[in-house]
Structure formats: C-alpha cells, structure tokens
Amino acid sequence: MTTTEPQSILSLGATLGEGPVWVERDAALWFVDIKEQRIYRFDPALGAARSWEAPAQVGWILPTDDGLFAVGLQTGVHRFDPADGSFTLLHAPEAHLPGNRQNDACVAPDGAIWFGSMDDGEEAQSGHFYRFHKGVCADTGLPPVCITNGPALSPDGRILYHTDTLGKRIWRTALSADGAVGDTSLFVEIEDGAGYPDGPTVDAEGCVWTGLFFGWAVRRYDPAGRLMHEVRFPVSNITKIAFGGEGLTTAYVTTARKGLDLTALTSQPLAGDLFAFDAGVAGLPGPIATL
C-alpha cells in the first residue's frame, strides 16, 4: 500500500480537533474543536473553512436524512442547522452526569447513530456507549470506561469496534441485525510508548485505522488485529481520520494542541492543524443518520 507524507492543509491550531466526517452531499469535510466549542466545514476545492460556535463542548457531527446534522454536545444530542446556526435538543442521555461529555460517534448502515461519552475530567469510569435511532436512545450495556472513542463499524455493520483510550485497548463486539450487542473480544492493545488509541475508522477492506494521541501516528490494522501500516506525523496528538475526496482515498486527519506545554508547542508548530494524505485505499461511503 502506498501513502504520501501527511501535509497540513488547514492552519488551525485546534485545541482538540476531532470527529472528521466526509459529507458527500457537500463535497466537504466537517469536524469539530471540542474544547473551543466550534464546528468546522472544510471545502477542499477552495482550501478554506467556515466555522460555527456551539453552545457547549461538541464531540461529533454527522449528516442526517433531513439535510441537516446531528451533533453531540455536552448537554445532549442536538439537531444542527448550518443555515442559521441553531441547535435543537433531541435527547439528553446523561443529564444526571453533568461532568460527562460526548466524545465520538459514527453512523451504522441502518442509519443509527452510535456514540460514546466520557468523564470530562478524565478520571471517573463514567463513559458509556449509546445507540440513537429514530428518536430512541439506548445504553448499549457495554462496560463503562473513562474515555470512550469511536465506535466504528465493519463494512457489513455486524462488528462494532470501540476504544478504551486510557486502557490502550480497542475492543470488537458482534452486533445482531437489530443492533443488539453480542460477544466482545480484545481487538488490539497498544504497546507502551506508542501513545493512546483515539478515534477509529474502518476502510472499504474492513481494516481499522486509529489515531494515536501522544503517538505521532495513525495505524492500520487488518480485521484480525494485525498491524499492517503506520503513517508518521510531525505532530504528536493525532485524533481521528476520515476518508473523503474523489474515490474516498484521501485521508483527512484532525490533530490537537491539548496537553502540550510551551516547549512541545514550539517544536510542533503544526499541532492542531488539519492534515491530509493519500491513504492508498478507499474508505466507506458515509451513511446518513435517520433521526
């Protein structure tokens, strides 16, 4: 597999860039800066971005079947309308946990949104995974962890990959046709010194890519959990990739300045930028969420 070196394509300096998703109807990449409470739309044809302010920390954004977006704010799942910048609450799954926030999400082939929460203080084991579909939000029952990441789904939607970031483990769980969770097994454990597994993404060949926070890289694992490839970056905090562009072969990558002291920031002037590289493999077309 051939790849090009990652290049900064948008100078941003994001505190915690996250959640990139390619939206085909816009021919654009959408992503967020969680800590700065901003939503971004990047137009590759113009090389320019537009942003919106969110009313709370925003963990993810996904396109919906009404032509708008669902977003995961700290206060709950909202509908977002870019035309007027409005947010409408759809569901607040953790109103009883004000110290939690939402962190990452994906859309299943059936249009369901799978998302995770986490302790904003990064200490308590209070992060859960949820499934939201057609107005119904349910806890998946997967064991709670401090920082969830993902989930991501296999091409057929029958395997859920979900990450315990501080535990340095990515798990795989079987899913039934109706989205019920089944058996869980360890998929990958990141070795000491390689950083922490952040957002996972699955490509068209069923392989799993993960960003490595404090790890200077993204990695690609085959469906059996074997390391196939690693792409190194000039910045340490790699959060997540999304496949987009023509043929879905461009890997767009969000990064973060969070956790870097002045010395680190001086040596990493591109920290927090949006990067891209030629992945050498196609991603999966992004499903549209059905609220």
Side-chain angles (χ1 to χ4, degrees):
M1 185 179 68
T2 59
T3 59
T4 58
E5 292 294 320
Q7 301 293 323
S8 171
I9 58 170
L10 182 64
S11 180
L12 197 62
T15 301
L16 188 53
E18 260 288 8
V21 58
W22 179 257
V23 179
E24 187 62 38
R25 69 190 182 205
D26 299 336
L29 185 82
W30 291 76
F31 62 100
V32 304
D33 184 339
I34 296 175
K35 292 299 180 181
E36 300 303 323
Q37 299 180 196
R38 298 208 70 85
I39 293 170
Y40 288 90
R41 178 191 188 273
F42 174 72
D43 184 339
L46 299 176
R50 180 185 174 190
S51 71
W52 293 258
E53 184 177 1
Q57 292 187 89
V58 52
W60 52 266
I61 180 167
L62 295 167
T64 54
D65 58 357
D66 59 3
L68 302 179
F69 292 86
V71 298
L73 299 183
Q74 186 164 10
T75 50
V77 179
H78 288 66
R79 179 182 279 108
F80 168 62
D81 185 348
D84 61 9
S86 64
F87 296 82
T88 304
L89 180 64
L90 300 173
H91 189 76
E94 294 187 340
H96 61 296
L97 295 172
N100 267 20
R101 66 169 174 82
Q102 294 185 43
N103 196 47
D104 199 4
C106 70
V107 180
D110 65 358
I113 297 174
W114 291 79
F115 67 93
S117 66
M118 61 170 280
D119 173 30
D120 195 37
E122 303 181 9
E123 294 181 352
Q125 300 287 105
S126 58
H128 293 257
F129 286 101
Y130 296 88
R131 180 177 184 267
F132 183 72
H133 195 212
K134 297 181 178 179
V136 178
C137 188
D139 190 325
T140 62
L142 293 169
V145 298
C146 182
I147 301 176
T148 66
N149 256 296
L153 288 140
S154 60
D156 63 2
R158 301 305 292 270
I159 298 174
L160 185 77
Y161 296 98
H162 48 101
T163 299
D164 171 4
T165 293
L166 293 187
K168 297 186 177 182
R169 295 179 178 92
I170 303 173
W171 300 86
R172 53 178 287 158
T173 295
L175 296 181
S176 64
D178 64 359
V181 301
D183 293 338
T184 295
S185 60
L186 182 64
F187 176 63
V188 166
E189 184 167 7
I190 304 300
E191 72 275 15
D192 288 346
Y196 295 84
D198 209 309
T201 307
V202 178
D203 65 30
E205 297 178 358
C207 296
V208 178
W209 297 70
T210 184
L212 294 174
F213 204 91
F214 291 137
W216 302 83
V218 296
R219 286 182 174 180
R220 184 184 191 229
Y221 292 90
D222 72 10
R226 293 184 291 261
L227 178 61
M228 301 181 70
H229 191 67
E230 182 175 88
V231 180
R232 303 294 294 179
F233 280 73
V235 297
S236 63
N237 297 342
I238 317 303
T239 54
K240 190 171 184 176
I241 80 165
F243 295 95
E246 185 175 356
L248 300 179
T249 58
T250 298
Y252 293 100
V253 190
T254 48
T255 67
R257 294 165 63 92
K258 181 179 181 291
L260 301 180
D261 61 20
L262 183 59
T263 300
L265 289 172
T266 300
S267 65
Q268 299 179 44
L270 302 180
D273 284 4
L274 179 68
F275 286 77
F277 65 90
D278 181 353
V281 64
L284 293 166
I288 303 298
T290 53
L291 297 179

